[in-house]
Amino acid sequence: MSSEAVFIQVGALAEGFAPHSHTLAQQDLAGTTLAFHFAEGATVQCSFNDDQTLLWGDQRVDYRATSIRQGILFIDFLDPQRPNGSITLVCDRQQGNFTAVYGQLPDESQARLDAFSRVEQGLPLTAVNAEFRFGRLDNSDAALPQFTDELIGMRNLYTYSPTERYEHVYLNNNFYAWQCLDGVEKGLADVDRCHYVKVAEKLYLFVWREKIIPTLGVVMIDLQEMRTDGKILGYQGSDFSSLSNFAVGAHAQILNTTHYPKA
């Protein structure tokens, strides 16, 4: 007999992903300043002090920045104004536009509300929130990024490290299926809420929100270079006292693509 796979906290997941992970190198943006002009009218100045800290408006925070493709920046930090939140910025410096993802984990009382009660109350199955805001960089007049359905139907394999492999199936505009083939979550599988934004040709921002363990994933998928880079946000443990916001990156492979007949 084999034991049934069990869900683990995000902190334990980070420990499993850490050794020899396929993440990208940190970009040193010291001395760089970007003006984020949001489509709804707000503007935020972002100044990079060094390779570890930036000023988001007047708030100093630690950040991680990578570049999966020339001219594309992935910038991530914990939200200085909201507990249990993060801000992820995907900047296309060549086109002059950006996507901002404001993520928010539920507090303990929200996280412990069972699925049946959430359905009864008309709530989404996941208590993890993600707000998407689009805009332009500096003085650009570029078109804004858009949500896309170009990933739908793909079945992809992602190798995050020598020990961690996952399969994704992009089902529709709202949901994707995942399973862990090898690693600390081996044998686990689920269907979760997701979102897709097209950043450039064959380059996508993929965001998922899990419903069992409070988890937010924000990942760039480059199907030109066949690799990914991003982050996963969750709680370090089951006591909800500290966060785990860790980097992830993978080598990608398209296993197959389903083309659905038109109704």
Side-chain angles (χ1 to χ4, degrees):
M1 295 180 63
S2 60
S3 60
E4 183 176 347
V6 295
F7 284 86
I8 62 175
Q9 297 298 327
V10 171
L13 184 65
E15 294 173 4
F17 272 62
H20 310 293
S21 62
H22 298 319
T23 53
L24 295 179
Q26 169 83 352
Q27 294 284 299
D28 186 353
L29 300 175
T32 302
T33 298
L34 297 172
F36 290 85
H37 300 281
F38 290 86
E40 66 270 23
T43 298
V44 179
Q45 294 286 335
C46 182
S47 301
F48 296 86
N49 302 316
D50 48 42
D51 64 349
Q52 294 184 335
T53 63
L54 60 78
L55 284 175
W56 180 246
D58 59 358
Q59 301 286 321
R60 186 184 182 98
V61 293
D62 294 332
Y63 76 94
R64 175 178 179 259
T66 58
S67 183
I68 198 167
R69 190 184 289 185
Q70 185 174 2
I72 306 292
L73 289 175
F74 179 95
I75 304 163
D76 182 74
F77 51 92
L78 295 179
D79 192 331
Q81 297 183 318
R82 298 181 306 158
N84 309 327
S86 68
I87 299 174
T88 307
L89 307 165
V90 175
C91 309
D92 187 333
R93 301 187 73 181
Q94 295 178 334
Q95 293 192 67
N97 61 27
F98 70 89
T99 301
V101 181
Y102 286 75
Q104 181 80 52
L105 297 179
D107 61 23
E108 183 172 359
S109 62
Q110 293 172 323
R112 294 192 184 280
L113 187 64
D114 65 87
F116 185 80
S117 297
R118 296 189 67 82
V119 171
E120 272 195 322
Q121 296 176 30
L123 298 171
L125 278 180
T126 176
V128 179
N129 291 320
E131 176 190 357
F132 291 79
R133 299 173 65 186
F134 304 103
R136 299 176 176 87
L137 294 171
D138 301 321
N139 295 315
S140 167
D141 59 356
L144 298 178
Q146 301 289 327
F147 291 104
T148 183
D149 61 3
E150 292 181 10
L151 289 176
I152 293 173
M154 286 188 180
R155 187 186 196 107
N156 293 357
L157 175 65
Y158 298 104
T159 302
Y160 293 91
S161 75
T163 61
E164 308 291 324
R165 292 194 310 151
Y166 283 75
E167 179 184 37
H168 289 185
V169 183
Y170 305 112
L171 299 171
N172 55 42
N173 283 318
N174 295 308
F175 293 100
Y176 87 113
W178 62 268
Q179 68 163 324
C180 179
L181 301 174
D182 292 294
V184 291
E185 289 188 312
K186 184 175 181 178
L188 288 179
D190 207 350
V191 173
D192 281 309
R193 185 73 169 92
C194 68
H195 316 264
Y196 322 88
V197 175
K198 185 171 183 177
V199 177
E201 198 62 33
K202 293 189 175 181
L203 182 63
Y204 306 94
L205 174 62
F206 175 60
V207 176
W208 72 89
R209 300 184 283 141
E210 297 187 19
K211 60 185 178 293
I212 296 178
I213 303 297
T215 308
L216 173 71
V218 185
V219 170
M220 301 288 294
I221 300 176
D222 189 342
L223 295 182
Q224 179 176 289
E225 299 298 324
M226 299 307 294
R227 69 168 304 146
T228 75
D229 193 79
K231 72 84 169 279
I232 292 176
L233 172 70
Y235 287 104
Q236 183 69 34
S238 58
D239 60 357
F240 297 85
S241 61
S242 60
L243 296 177
S244 176
N245 190 43
F246 70 98
V248 293
H251 298 302
Q253 179 182 349
I254 299 174
L255 298 177
N256 59 61
T257 303
T258 299
H259 299 282
Y260 298 96
K262 293 184 179 180

